[in-house]
Amino acid sequence: MQLSNEEKKKYLRSYLNLKAREAELEEEIEELRSRYAGHAIIYSDMPKGTADKDLSNYAAEVDELERRLRIMQQEAIRIYLQISDAIEKVEKITERQVLRIRYLQGITDWDVIGDKMGYSRTHAARIHGSALLHFKVPGKML
Protein backbone atom coordinates (compact mmCIF):
# COMPACT_ATOMS: atom_id res chain seq x y z
CA MET A 1 0.00 0.00 0.00
CA GLN A 2 1.34 3.38 -0.99
CA LEU A 3 0.87 6.39 1.26
CA SER A 4 -1.05 9.44 0.08
CA ASN A 5 0.75 12.71 -0.58
CA GLU A 6 -0.87 14.15 2.57
CA GLU A 7 0.57 11.30 4.66
CA LYS A 8 3.98 11.87 3.09
CA LYS A 9 3.77 15.62 3.83
CA LYS A 10 2.83 14.87 7.43
CA TYR A 11 5.93 12.70 7.77
CA LEU A 12 8.14 15.29 6.05
CA ARG A 13 6.80 18.05 8.33
CA SER A 14 7.61 16.08 11.48
CA TYR A 15 11.10 17.60 11.74
CA LEU A 16 9.86 21.19 11.48
CA ASN A 17 7.05 20.44 13.94
CA LEU A 18 9.62 19.20 16.45
CA LYS A 19 11.76 22.30 15.88
CA ALA A 20 8.72 24.51 16.52
CA ARG A 21 7.93 22.69 19.76
CA GLU A 22 11.60 22.94 20.73
CA ALA A 23 11.46 26.74 20.26
CA GLU A 24 8.30 26.90 22.41
CA LEU A 25 9.99 24.93 25.17
CA GLU A 26 13.03 27.23 25.03
CA GLU A 27 10.66 30.21 25.44
CA GLU A 28 8.98 28.52 28.42
CA ILE A 29 12.38 28.01 30.08
CA GLU A 30 13.37 31.62 29.43
CA GLU A 31 10.03 32.89 30.75
CA LEU A 32 10.42 30.83 33.92
CA ARG A 33 13.96 32.11 34.41
CA SER A 34 12.96 35.74 33.86
CA ARG A 35 10.00 35.39 36.23
CA TYR A 36 12.37 34.47 39.05
CA ALA A 37 15.34 36.62 37.99
CA GLY A 38 16.70 38.55 40.93
CA HIS A 39 15.06 36.31 43.51
CA ALA A 40 17.42 34.47 45.78
CA ILE A 41 16.64 30.85 46.34
CA ILE A 42 17.15 30.06 50.02
CA TYR A 43 16.97 26.44 51.02
CA SER A 44 15.78 26.05 54.56
CA ASP A 45 13.89 23.58 56.65
CA MET A 46 12.19 26.42 58.49
CA PRO A 47 8.45 26.77 58.02
CA LYS A 48 7.45 29.36 55.48
CA GLY A 49 4.78 31.96 56.01
CA THR A 50 2.04 32.35 53.47
CA ALA A 51 3.45 35.72 52.35
CA ASP A 52 6.85 34.22 51.43
CA LYS A 53 7.44 33.28 47.83
CA ASP A 54 8.25 29.60 47.61
CA LEU A 55 11.10 29.24 45.14
CA SER A 56 12.20 25.83 46.33
CA ASN A 57 10.78 24.08 43.25
CA TYR A 58 12.16 26.61 40.77
CA ALA A 59 15.47 24.84 40.12
CA ALA A 60 13.75 21.46 39.79
CA GLU A 61 11.22 22.88 37.30
CA VAL A 62 13.94 24.46 35.16
CA ASP A 63 16.00 21.25 35.28
CA GLU A 64 12.99 19.20 34.16
CA LEU A 65 12.23 21.56 31.26
CA GLU A 66 15.88 21.51 30.19
CA ARG A 67 15.89 17.69 30.35
CA ARG A 68 12.81 17.60 28.12
CA LEU A 69 14.45 20.08 25.74
CA ARG A 70 17.57 17.89 25.42
CA ILE A 71 15.41 14.84 24.66
CA MET A 72 13.47 16.83 22.07
CA GLN A 73 16.70 18.08 20.46
CA GLN A 74 18.03 14.52 20.21
CA GLU A 75 14.74 13.40 18.64
CA ALA A 76 14.86 16.32 16.17
CA ILE A 77 18.36 15.29 15.07
CA ARG A 78 17.23 11.67 14.65
CA ILE A 79 14.19 12.70 12.58
CA TYR A 80 16.24 15.19 10.53
CA LEU A 81 18.73 12.48 9.59
CA GLN A 82 15.97 10.00 8.80
CA ILE A 83 14.13 12.46 6.54
CA SER A 84 17.37 13.64 4.93
CA ASP A 85 18.36 10.04 4.13
CA ALA A 86 14.91 9.34 2.65
CA ILE A 87 15.10 12.50 0.51
CA GLU A 88 18.51 11.42 -0.80
CA LYS A 89 16.89 8.27 -2.19
CA VAL A 90 14.70 10.34 -4.55
CA GLU A 91 16.27 9.94 -7.98
CA LYS A 92 15.95 13.45 -9.47
CA ILE A 93 18.18 16.16 -8.05
CA THR A 94 15.57 18.90 -8.50
CA GLU A 95 13.03 16.83 -6.58
CA ARG A 96 15.52 16.27 -3.76
CA GLN A 97 16.29 19.99 -3.75
CA VAL A 98 12.65 21.08 -3.42
CA LEU A 99 12.03 18.57 -0.62
CA ARG A 100 15.11 19.75 1.31
CA ILE A 101 14.19 23.42 0.93
CA ARG A 102 10.58 22.93 1.94
CA TYR A 103 10.83 20.31 4.68
CA LEU A 104 14.33 20.64 6.15
CA GLN A 105 14.92 24.37 5.70
CA GLY A 106 11.29 25.18 6.42
CA ILE A 107 10.72 27.54 3.51
CA THR A 108 7.07 27.39 2.47
CA ASP A 109 6.80 30.42 0.15
CA TRP A 110 6.77 29.05 -3.40
CA ASP A 111 8.22 32.30 -4.77
CA VAL A 112 11.24 31.93 -2.47
CA ILE A 113 11.58 28.21 -3.25
CA GLY A 114 11.37 28.93 -6.98
CA ASP A 115 14.01 31.67 -6.68
CA LYS A 116 16.37 29.38 -4.75
CA MET A 117 15.97 26.71 -7.42
CA GLY A 118 16.09 29.08 -10.39
CA TYR A 119 12.51 28.29 -11.45
CA SER A 120 9.14 30.01 -11.33
CA ARG A 121 6.93 29.40 -8.33
CA THR A 122 4.62 27.29 -10.49
CA HIS A 123 7.43 25.11 -11.81
CA ALA A 124 8.83 24.63 -8.29
CA ALA A 125 5.38 23.57 -7.08
CA ARG A 126 5.10 21.11 -9.98
CA ILE A 127 8.51 19.64 -9.10
CA HIS A 128 7.27 19.30 -5.51
CA GLY A 129 4.22 17.34 -6.67
CA SER A 130 6.42 15.01 -8.68
CA ALA A 131 8.84 14.68 -5.76
CA LEU A 132 6.02 13.59 -3.46
CA LEU A 133 5.03 10.88 -5.92
CA HIS A 134 8.60 9.53 -5.89
CA PHE A 135 9.27 10.00 -2.17
CA LYS A 136 9.13 6.92 0.02
CA VAL A 137 8.57 7.16 3.77
CA PRO A 138 11.05 4.76 5.43
CA GLY A 139 9.38 1.57 6.60
CA LYS A 140 5.98 2.60 5.23
CA MET A 141 6.26 1.78 1.53
CA LEU A 142 6.30 -1.58 -0.23
Side-chain angles (χ1 to χ4, degrees):
M1 178 182 120
Q2 188 167 341
L3 296 178
S4 71
N5 282 353
E6 287 308 311
E7 291 169 313
K8 291 176 183 182
K9 288 179 194 178
K10 183 179 178 183
Y11 168 75
L12 287 162
R13 287 186 194 116
S14 63
Y15 167 70
L16 294 174
N17 291 340
L18 262 175
K19 293 300 289 179
R21 179 61 187 123
E22 193 178 303
E24 291 170 0
L25 192 52
E26 287 172 341
E27 287 178 24
E28 289 175 36
I29 292 168
E30 188 54 40
E31 193 276 325
L32 187 61
R33 284 185 177 143
S34 67
R35 184 183 316 157
Y36 293 105
H39 293 279
I41 299 175
I42 301 170
Y43 297 98
S44 168
D45 59 354
M46 297 296 292
K48 295 172 180 57
T50 56
D52 290 342
K53 288 191 175 198
D54 182 10
L55 300 176
S56 59
N57 290 329
Y58 165 74
E61 290 171 356
V62 171
D63 283 348
E64 175 59 20
L65 288 175
E66 288 176 339
R67 184 190 69 77
R68 290 180 188 178
L69 179 60
R70 284 189 303 274
I71 291 168
M72 198 173 296
Q73 288 168 333
Q74 291 169 349
E75 178 68 2
I77 291 168
R78 187 187 69 74
I79 295 294
Y80 177 92
L81 292 172
Q82 185 182 69
I83 292 171
S84 181
D85 288 347
I87 288 172
E88 285 306 309
K89 292 179 180 161
V90 173
E91 188 176 326
K92 292 184 179 178
I93 193 167
T94 55
E95 292 178 3
R96 290 194 306 264
Q97 185 180 15
V98 75
L99 292 174
R100 278 194 301 270
I101 292 168
R102 188 158 175 91
Y103 298 106
L104 296 179
Q105 294 177 17
I107 299 171
T108 57
D109 184 322
W110 286 110
D111 288 317
V112 175
I113 293 170
D115 287 345
K116 284 180 84 77
M117 295 180 68
Y119 295 113
S120 70
R121 71 184 321 272
T122 307
H123 193 65
R126 257 189 248 119
I127 293 169
H128 176 259
S130 178
L132 287 175
L133 290 174
H134 298 120
F135 181 78
K136 293 179 174 40
V137 174
K140 300 286 183 185
M141 306 291 283
L142 295 176

